[in-house]
Amino acid sequence: MPTDAHQKVMSLGSHTGDAHRHGRHVRPRTWGRTLLALLIACGLIGGGLYAAMNFIGLDQNMVREKCMAVVGSESYTLSPEQASNAALISAVATKRGLPERAAAIGIATSMQESKLTNIDYGDGAGPDSRGLFQQRPSMGWGTEAQVMDPAYAAGRFFQELETFDYSAMALTEAAQKVQRSAYPMAYAKHEGMAKAFSAPLTGNAVSALNCTLRAADSAGSPAKVEAALREATGITNAVVDGPRLKVPAKGKQGWAVAQWAVANAGVMNTESVSYAGLVWNRAQGAWVSAATTDGYVIIQSATP
């Protein structure tokens, strides 16, 4: 007599035989589990990518800091350090009563000589050349400490520029007459950039200078901003009001100050600059419409 185990085996064989006789193949029922596993894997990958993208978006180290000036259909980019020095050169020119053209010549010259950075070594002009304009103490430009002071160096450059009529000269010719470089035509290639930055920095272009910056890593100092503004522009009636600096200004002067402040936002840890119905802030990196204080440029420092 067959045992129960034997009957189960016989029964299984019988079903299998029926399946073969009817042309059907018996497959393990694993496709459902495979599909589920694939869906879970895709979900995990998609979630991981989404999280990574959001992490990158929030990672401030991925932000490329830059300052941009636009003139017509052309745009030019400088680093925040370079933009700050371009702003100082333009401010010194304005303080001396010089036109935008002089500021453009100064910016182009410094770009050629030092990449608009205050370097403490000679960069081809001579073994003792220093600073924004690579001025040489041995050639009568001042002491080493003086030519390393950006405000002094810019003032000294313009002092020399004012000794002749540069207004009718090509930019590279005017720069060469001051610098007496071994490469007299080298300044010409920086003319477009210099004009693009000198226009807003002298107040002749409205909201044409923007900076893209990371979030400030420390608090700014309105007192420090006031001191820098006073040295560069000669403005002495700015008022510190908590984390803000209020600068009385109107029209062209207001836009020169406002865009000077944007160009210096990186080095000064400035959060926003507002003037004449517009505000620039770090979060957007652009000028947008906003309520502003009439007759004042408001420079808001970053807070802890």
Side-chain angles (χ1 to χ4, degrees):
M1 179 178 291
T3 65
D4 290 342
H6 184 252
Q7 287 176 337
K8 288 178 181 178
V9 171
M10 293 289 289
S11 175
L12 178 59
S14 176
H15 287 307
T16 304
D18 289 343
H20 282 298
R21 281 196 299 272
H22 288 86
R24 291 183 285 110
H25 299 281
V26 178
R27 292 194 184 100
R29 295 180 177 271
T30 59
W31 60 271
R33 284 174 292 183
T34 301
L35 178 60
L36 179 61
L38 286 172
L39 289 173
I40 292 172
C42 288
L44 290 172
I45 293 171
L49 289 173
Y50 178 81
M53 289 174 67
N54 276 275
F55 175 76
I56 290 172
L58 294 172
D59 185 358
Q60 289 294 310
N61 291 326
M62 300 299 291
V63 176
R64 179 182 170 236
E65 295 194 310
K66 61 183 179 180
C67 293
M68 179 181 295
V70 178
V71 55
S73 60
E74 299 293 327
S75 61
Y76 297 87
T77 300
L78 294 176
S79 71
E81 179 188 5
Q82 290 174 315
S84 176
N85 287 322
L88 178 128
I89 291 168
S90 294
V92 171
T94 300
K95 182 169 67 172
R96 295 177 73 93
L98 301 177
E100 178 190 333
R101 175 69 171 169
I105 295 170
I107 291 172
T109 301
S110 180
M111 187 65 175
Q112 173 59 30
E113 297 294 349
S114 69
K115 303 298 183 188
L116 274 168
T117 56
N118 194 35
I119 55 179
D120 61 356
Y121 56 88
D123 192 25
D128 64 336
S129 57
R130 299 288 187 276
L132 287 178
F133 294 90
Q134 287 292 279
Q135 294 159 334
R136 299 182 63 184
S138 63
M139 301 297 290
W141 288 95
T143 67
E144 183 172 334
Q146 285 176 322
V147 300
M148 281 298 298
D149 176 355
Y152 171 89
R156 187 67 182 83
F157 174 85
F158 290 124
Q159 180 183 335
E160 190 71 20
L161 186 69
E162 290 174 291
T163 63
F164 58 89
D165 182 14
Y166 57 86
S167 61
M169 300 174 67
L171 180 147
T172 194
E173 292 174 352
Q176 170 62 11
K177 191 170 177 66
V178 174
Q179 297 295 109
R180 299 182 291 276
S181 168
Y183 306 96
M185 300 307 294
Y187 307 100
K189 61 178 175 287
H190 305 298
E191 185 166 5
M193 177 278 298
K195 287 181 176 180
F197 277 88
S198 64
L201 290 170
T202 55
N204 288 300
V206 172
S207 63
L209 192 155
N210 296 303
C211 290
T212 301
L213 303 171
R214 303 184 189 106
D217 56 6
S218 61
S221 167
K224 182 179 177 182
V225 177
E226 190 277 330
L229 179 68
R230 180 169 14 97
E231 179 183 35
T233 67
I235 292 173
T236 59
N237 58 349
V239 177
V240 174
D241 179 17
R244 305 188 306 169
L245 182 68
K246 299 175 65 176
V247 187
K250 294 182 179 180
K252 182 177 171 179
Q253 184 195 37
W255 278 113
V257 170
Q259 291 171 115
W260 172 92
V262 172
N264 280 282
V267 297
M268 294 290 177
N269 279 341
T270 296
E271 193 64 35
S272 66
V273 179
S274 61
Y275 178 65
L278 294 174
V279 62
W280 171 91
N281 58 64
R282 279 179 182 258
Q284 293 173 291
W287 290 94
V288 297
S289 297
T292 57
T293 304
D294 291 343
Y296 286 88
V297 176
I298 305 297
I299 304 171
Q300 177 84 31
S301 293
T303 54

